Amino acid sequence: GSTGELWSELIQADGAEVLARYADGPLAGGPALTRNAVGEGGAWYSSTRLDPAGTRALVDRVCAAAGVAAPVRTEGAVEVVQRAGDTGRWTFLVNHGEDATVHLDGHDLVTDASVQGAWTLPAGAVAVVRET
């Protein structure tokens, strides 16, 4: 259900599992996304640059397969960095896109406001949240 952008590459899935195929275009039916099991992990390969929604879906899928979870759930182009110490945990958020939804409870030190549940981080905004 994703759209490839910019290029597509003719590949063969020699031993790899084909997870997605091209639906149309010059490579219709050919492998677009593969995964090759290696030991306890695997190598994933996308033979195209995916659109933003497809990229996010792929990263979510790869992380889920690896048992990795995002520290904070966001919807949008939000950069998230967390720091923890003896006195608490802080989450730094930078919104590189349009208004975005963030799911995090705490106190935003930038706006000096409490944030709870799902809240909006405006386009271009920064937040530093001390988590509760």
Side-chain angles (χ1 to χ4, degrees), residues 12-41:
Q12 294 182 11
D14 297 334
E17 176 186 7
V18 177
L19 302 174
R21 294 184 177 275
Y22 289 102
D24 55 25
L27 299 180
L33 176 64
T34 62
R35 181 180 183 278
N36 194 10
V38 179
E40 293 182 28

Side-chain angles (χ1 to χ4, degrees), residues 78-91:
V78 179
E79 178 181 348
V80 179
V81 174
Q82 289 188 316
R83 296 288 183 256
D86 294 337
T87 60
R89 184 165 69 183
W90 293 265
T91 300

Side-chain angles (χ1 to χ4, degrees), residues 67-110:
V68 175
V72 175
R73 189 165 62 105
T74 65
E75 297 159 18
V78 179
E79 178 181 348
V80 179
V81 174
Q82 289 188 316
R83 296 288 183 256
D86 294 337
T87 60
R89 184 165 69 183
W90 293 265
T91 300
F92 300 78
L93 303 128
V94 181
N95 187 349
H96 296 284
E98 302 298 320
D99 289 1
T101 302
V102 176
H103 302 265
L104 179 66
D105 296 337
H107 187 84
D108 180 11
L109 302 176
V110 174

Side-chain angles (χ1 to χ4, degrees), residues 102 104-120 127-132:
V102 176
L104 179 66
D105 296 337
H107 187 84
D108 180 11
L109 302 176
V110 174
T111 62
D112 194 25
S114 177
V115 292
Q116 299 278 326
W119 48 278
T120 300
V128 179
V129 177
R130 180 167 186 188
E131 294 184 44
T132 55

